Amino acid sequence: MEADMKPITEVAAQLGLEADQLELYGKWKAKLSEDVWDSISQRPNGKLILVTAMNPTPAGEGKTLTTIGLTQGLNRIGRTAAAALREPSLGPCMGMKGGATGSGKAQIVPAEDINLHFTGDIHAITSAHNLLAALIDNHLFQGNVLHIDPSRIVWKRALDMNDRPLRQIVIGIGDNNGTVREDGFLISTASEVMAVLCLAADMADLEERLGRIVVAYNIDGEPVTAKELRAVDAMCALLKDAIHPNLVQTIEGDPVFVHGGPFANIAHGCSSIRATRHALKLADYVVTEAGFGADLGAEKFMDIKCRKGNLQPAAVVIVATVRALKYNGGVPKQELLEDNADAIQSGFVNLRRHIENMRFFNVPVIVAINRFAADTEKELTQISELCAELGVKAILSEAWELGGEGCRELAQEVAELADGSSADDFELLYPDDMPLVEKIETIVTRIYRGAGVRYRPAAKRALQELERLGVQDLPICMAKTPYSFTDRPTVLGAPEQFTIEVQDVRWSAGAGFVVVLTGKVVTMPGLPAEPAAWRIRLDEAGHIEGLS
């Protein structure tokens, strides 16, 4: 959709920022200068609103669309609002998902720039990650004074693309090319450097966190860090611009901070703490989202981002659709447009569980029904009535068709909900000092409703190693399929009494959490049979098409 964009200096002025407080990337994009925080840090925070959703389905739920529309709607009703979103990764843009900038009349722009290279942040993260990988193998080649055990190098290489064959590789083949060993790639959005950037308070914190990254273990079983490899200063040089939040706009000219892009199924799934903190000082309401369904993104938003950033959400918006409820009620994708009240009733168990889970954090909840053209009034009323039975309002969102105007009622209800909440009410799911195994079981039994956890030998060994090293006080980052509460993507609805299988456990010492890999989740996705890249092209005027 064509958009009449404002110069980014005008968008910044809506937040009280001067042109000289921006680092411009053309007319429509900018980074905030380092001195912005010093000028706003003593201001009170605005209200933080989290947008999450049901478990994703092939029909699409519209979480980013709703986040953008709600931000537009808040400004339409006279509130000062900004959005805080993640940066899209090239992998899913070229893979299954396509672009991640909203759609219809609820988009962020310039969409093509944001979806592709943007301001180069993910490229910088990829470069810093791979610099560290290169220094590890060079250290082995140059004599290995740190006595690194080549069989216990845990730092892979990274690429911002879905490239299945790179999951497992062998490097060092050939004369004088270094140590021959098994290695692999993960997607850049799963890199610990991405997590570090998104959780760092400032450049000094970034430097300290990068130094803590564990890249390998030596022959005595002790961790070897990026600091010991003398990698940190050069990594910081590569990240010196990437750490600054990016400012763009909605299709209606509302300010949007787009910064950081960790996946929620294999990483912590939230935009950067720095961008969120800046937004909270500059706007009365900040609407942010967490990746995938509430069982993954929202739980990590609460237990990792809010814990690390000392943030307190004022309200949670759960996005639901008629089609998603039918799908969770057992209706195949090709029949989702048919009227089926029984399937909505059956599929509502999925939405109910997400509502119940968000209440564990003691934050008020509202449901946004993202309306599609084929939805009937009868279906929409049925969902509203089912939510009302739980004491939750369900408000229609028509952001795709009407933009901010289609979110007026939602914005009004969300603002009132947020205004009436207290930051002191917010609760985390588990305390810092709970043992790692108990934290994992707490997430599995309370959020997923599983019966327990089964650990594969590699996971048992990893947990024993972390216990030996005294690592217990960190939050858990579950890597799990987003499509189900279980670790099996085809199990829909709200299953109970299942067992989650943990295949491995990884210590992200720089980020400050422990990654728990479950089921068959992988950290390097593959391309689908019909990649989104097939639809992307330049038209005769040089404009990019197909990034939807």
Side-chain angles (χ1 to χ4, degrees), residues 191-201 205-207 209-210 213 239 268 509-513:
S191 166
E192 188 177 352
V193 178
M194 171 67 82
V196 163
L197 184 90
C198 289
L199 294 171
D205 189 27
L206 178 74
E207 181 178 357
R209 287 174 177 273
L210 290 173
I213 290 175
L239 298 169
H268 74 280
F513 53 65

Side-chain angles (χ1 to χ4, degrees), residues 217-265:
Y217 293 84
N218 65 23
I219 57 176
D220 296 321
E222 297 303 314
V224 178
T225 65
K227 183 176 181 179
E228 291 176 282
L229 282 166
R230 299 172 60 188
V232 177
D233 287 345
M235 293 174 74
C236 286
L238 289 169
L239 298 169
K240 72 177 183 67
D241 295 322
I243 194 172
H244 299 308
N246 305 298
L247 181 66
V248 290
Q249 61 190 291
T250 73
I251 203 168
E252 296 180 358
D254 309 276
V256 182
F257 294 86
V258 179
H259 194 223
F263 280 3
N265 61 329

Side-chain angles (χ1 to χ4, degrees), residues 60-296:
E61 284 61 62
K63 187 169 69 270
T64 302
L65 169 86
T66 304
T67 301
I68 297 164
L70 175 56
T71 303
Q72 294 172 157
L74 285 164
N75 284 308
R76 284 287 185 104
I77 65 170
R79 312 295 177 108
T80 302
L85 298 172
R86 293 174 297 160
E87 298 182 43
S89 163
L90 282 177
C93 281
M94 299 293 174
M96 182 178 294
K97 186 176 181 181
T101 52
S103 60
K105 292 187 177 179
Q107 297 185 42
I108 55 174
V109 289
E112 290 79 10
D113 291 8
I114 297 167
N115 278 312
L116 298 180
H117 303 290
F118 198 24
T119 57
D121 293 348
I122 298 181
H123 295 316
I125 287 165
T126 304
S127 297
H129 181 110
N130 288 330
L131 169 64
L132 181 53
L135 288 172
I136 295 166
D137 283 291
N138 185 61
H139 184 86
L140 296 180
F141 183 81
Q142 301 295 347
N144 194 12
V145 298
L146 293 174
H147 305 295
I148 293 172
D149 181 349
S151 69
R152 296 201 65 194
I153 294 172
V154 296
W155 191 256
K156 295 185 177 183
R157 279 146 166 89
L159 181 70
D160 188 30
M161 191 59 62
N162 295 5
D163 200 349
R164 189 180 291 104
L166 293 181
R167 289 173 183 167
Q168 290 179 292
I169 62 172
V170 176
I171 63 171
I173 298 173
D175 291 342
N176 209 32
N177 289 333
T179 302
V180 178
R181 64 181 185 86
E182 291 188 10
D183 198 0
F185 278 76
L186 44 74
I187 194 165
S188 299
T189 46
S191 166
E192 188 177 352
V193 178
M194 171 67 82
V196 163
L197 184 90
C198 289
L199 294 171
D202 50 33
M203 198 67 193
D205 189 27
L206 178 74
E207 181 178 357
E208 197 275 331
R209 287 174 177 273
L210 290 173
R212 294 202 313 253
I213 290 175
V214 173
V215 300
Y217 293 84
N218 65 23
I219 57 176
D220 296 321
E222 297 303 314
V224 178
T225 65
K227 183 176 181 179
E228 291 176 282
L229 282 166
R230 299 172 60 188
V232 177
D233 287 345
M235 293 174 74
C236 286
L238 289 169
L239 298 169
K240 72 177 183 67
D241 295 322
I243 194 172
H244 299 308
N246 305 298
L247 181 66
V248 290
Q249 61 190 291
T250 73
I251 203 168
E252 296 180 358
D254 309 276
V256 182
F257 294 86
V258 179
H259 194 223
F263 280 3
N265 61 329
I266 51 180
H268 74 280
C270 310
S271 61
S272 78
I273 285 177
R274 278 175 61 83
T276 304
R277 284 178 171 169
H278 278 76
L280 286 168
K281 299 296 184 183
L282 293 165
D284 295 331
Y285 300 87
V286 176
V287 187
T288 190
E289 70 166 348
F292 292 119
D295 58 318
L296 283 175

